[in-house]
């Protein structure tokens, strides 16, 4: 289930508060070209799906927001990748696709409630459209 917009905004606010606390913990030891004291390092929080997309491009697998077909025939949308210490993803968090009903009739859409599961990477195959996807 996708979290409401307000919950996602709250989650981002928590991350940025942590970033602020992290930056305050550094001793300002360097001066930039304008003579202003700066922290010796800067942490840039990157969304997990962006990092997943970069790693998938280099190591293989399915990028977030790509469609896959599970080995049991169900279509699904990749939400995130699960990584081992090295190599391509070992599993994908997927959201089952169901036929659309309200303004998106005629195409598969992510299930609104539930439907998320962690699937081994070997069970995620490239998506090939099928008429059965529209009548489940």
């Amino acid at each position: 289930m996708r979290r409401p917009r307000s919950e996602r905004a709250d989650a981002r606010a928590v991350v940025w508060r942590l970033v602020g606390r992290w930056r305050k913990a550094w001793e300002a030891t360097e001066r930039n070209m304008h003579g202003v004291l700066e922290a010796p390092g800067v942490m840039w929080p990157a969304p997990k799906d962006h990092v997943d997309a970069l790693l998938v491009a280099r190591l293989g697998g399915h990028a977030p927001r790509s469609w896959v077909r599970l080995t049991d025939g169900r279509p699904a949308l990749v939400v995130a990748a699960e990584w081992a210490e090295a190599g391509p993803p070992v599993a994908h968090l997927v959201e089952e696709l169901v036929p659309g009903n309200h303004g998106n009739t005629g195409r598969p859409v992510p299930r609104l409630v539930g439907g998320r599961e962690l699937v081994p990477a070997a069970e995620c195959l490239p998506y090939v459209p099928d008429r059965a996807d529209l009548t489940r």
Side-chain angles (χ1 to χ4, degrees):
M1 183 173 133
R2 191 168 178 166
R3 294 189 303 186
R5 189 178 302 265
S6 61
E7 284 184 29
R8 288 183 296 199
D10 291 344
R12 282 194 300 268
V14 168
V15 169
W16 282 107
R17 278 197 298 272
L18 290 172
V19 169
R21 290 170 70 189
W22 177 84
R23 293 192 74 193
K24 288 179 185 176
W26 283 93
E27 290 289 326
T29 57
E30 300 176 6
R31 290 193 182 270
N32 65 13
M33 61 188 234
H34 303 291
V36 178
L37 289 172
E38 286 185 335
V42 177
M43 182 180 78
W44 296 101
K48 182 175 178 353
D49 61 341
H50 180 66
V51 174
D52 281 348
L54 292 173
L55 290 173
V56 161
R58 290 186 181 177
L59 302 173
H62 299 285
R65 293 186 298 278
S66 62
W67 288 17
V68 295
R69 185 165 304 279
L70 304 178
T71 53
D72 62 3
R74 295 178 296 155
L77 177 73
V78 175
V79 177
E82 291 290 321
W83 299 92
E85 297 220 5
V90 294
H92 293 286
L93 179 65
V94 298
E95 193 166 358
E96 187 179 356
L97 294 174
V98 296
N101 294 326
H102 306 288
N104 48 18
T105 305
R107 65 179 197 181
V109 296
R111 182 180 296 248
L112 288 177
V113 179
R116 280 196 180 182
E117 58 186 290
L118 192 61
V119 179
E123 294 183 18
C124 294
L125 308 172
Y127 180 79
V128 178
D130 186 5
R131 283 207 169 278
D133 297 343
L134 303 176
T135 59
R136 289 179 188 261

